[in-house]
Amino acid sequence: MLEQYVYKNRKKLRCGYTTGSCAAAAAKAAAEMLLGGKRVETVELVTPSGQKLLLDVEEISREKERVSCGIRKDSGDDPDVTNGILVFAAVERTEGGFRIEGGTGVGRVTLPGLDQPVGEAAINTVPRQMITRAVEEICAKYGFGGGIRVLVSIPEGVRLAGKTFNPRLGIEGGISVLGTTGIVEPMSEAALLDTIEVEMRQRAAQGWKKIILTPGNYGMDFLKEELQLEPEKSVKCSNFIGEALDKAMETGFESVLLIGHIGKLVKLGAGVMNTHSRWADARLETLASCLILAGGDAKTAAALLHANTTEEALEILWEKGPFEETMAILLEKIAGHLEHRTGGAMRTEAVVFSNKFGILGETKGAGELLCQLKTNEGQQP
């Protein structure tokens, strides 16, 4: 493989290749050995992005009408749980047609709204196209016009499934065969946004019109322990709050309830819609400005600006005040920026909490929307 790199946060990171590329390369190598009759040690694959891969073929098993082999996944510098696993493809002659099926360790779709229909193996559209193109290239090379069956299996997939989003998405029994470019870009924001969109499409396919967004694990825990809501009613949006709202509108949701820790959501009060620290901070500045608008004094505002965390700032605010008035102004600002992002085309509400003080505030319609979500009003989860 001609190594490819990207730069993230001033670091040079090596790209890898997807499970879809592995499956396609394995299928191509197996088809070459089946139809050409000679052992293949390396296989060349051109990805949808145009990147050329030259990959080693491992664990070859040859029979008269069937050949199986594996390609080892390389995720580059991306922290991917599938790095180093073997993706196998077995290619065999059949009476007619071309079929791609999933074997051991490849998940099975059990809920609507995903790339593949319910009951199918979780081998996404682009990997299926890559496999088809790779095998048809070999068939054309040897003038073979008969039927072909490709069975993709990932033995480690059964063990790794629980470390992926698959159980949450309704994909059971293994991992997915994924990839739109064939290349893994380390720390890819696009991959996270794709996951958010997939979860939203799935909820929409189940008839949901209202949805909860939460940035991370704090929000998930708060949903379950404090609000008695199942995490399955929510979509984790990480730092991509603005993009998640955009995707919610595109997917057709009527209402979004955003629930999150003040350390993230306070930034919305300044209109910061990507809450990662590398883009912007504004946490303490936003709290200080809300304090001043609520009638607080400059000395307390200065103390907030010197706090190390939002939790420490809340301690200062609780002691010096005005606490409730400051939170009310913060929620007004958050509501205004959420409405501005969506253009008023979708109802948006928010609940902000802290680990010590619990719910700090909520937008005007958040309580009503929360009750509707608890009773499943207007949706069919």
Side-chain angles (χ1 to χ4, degrees), residues 105-162:
V106 175
R108 188 71 52 177
V109 177
T110 65
L111 294 175
L114 298 175
D115 182 270
Q116 294 296 304
V118 172
E120 286 294 325
I123 305 172
N124 277 11
T125 298
V126 173
R128 286 177 182 269
Q129 293 170 347
M130 292 173 67
I131 293 167
T132 301
R133 185 162 53 247
V135 174
E136 286 181 346
E137 177 186 330
I138 301 303
C139 290
K141 176 180 177 180
Y142 291 103
F144 179 75
I148 288 286
R149 174 178 180 258
V150 180
L151 179 69
V152 179
S153 58
I154 310 173
E156 285 289 288
V158 176
R159 178 181 63 84
L160 293 174

Side-chain angles (χ1 to χ4, degrees), residues 292-369:
I292 294 297
L293 289 173
D297 58 59
K299 186 176 180 180
T300 303
L304 293 181
L305 290 171
H306 285 93
N308 290 317
T309 65
T310 50
E311 290 284 356
E312 182 184 340
L314 290 175
E315 295 275 4
I316 296 168
L317 192 57
W318 181 260
E319 181 182 350
K320 304 292 185 181
F323 190 92
E324 292 182 2
E325 293 84 350
T326 301
M327 291 299 104
I329 289 174
L330 173 62
L331 267 296
E332 286 178 14
K333 287 182 172 293
I334 289 173
H337 287 296
L338 291 176
E339 184 174 7
H340 178 73
R341 180 70 183 222
T342 61
M346 179 178 64
R347 180 182 179 185
T348 51
E349 305 289 350
V351 175
V352 180
F353 68 89
S354 83
N355 295 336
K356 178 175 180 179
F357 295 97
I359 293 179
L360 299 171
E362 56 186 47
T363 53
K364 289 183 179 179
E368 178 190 6
L369 184 53

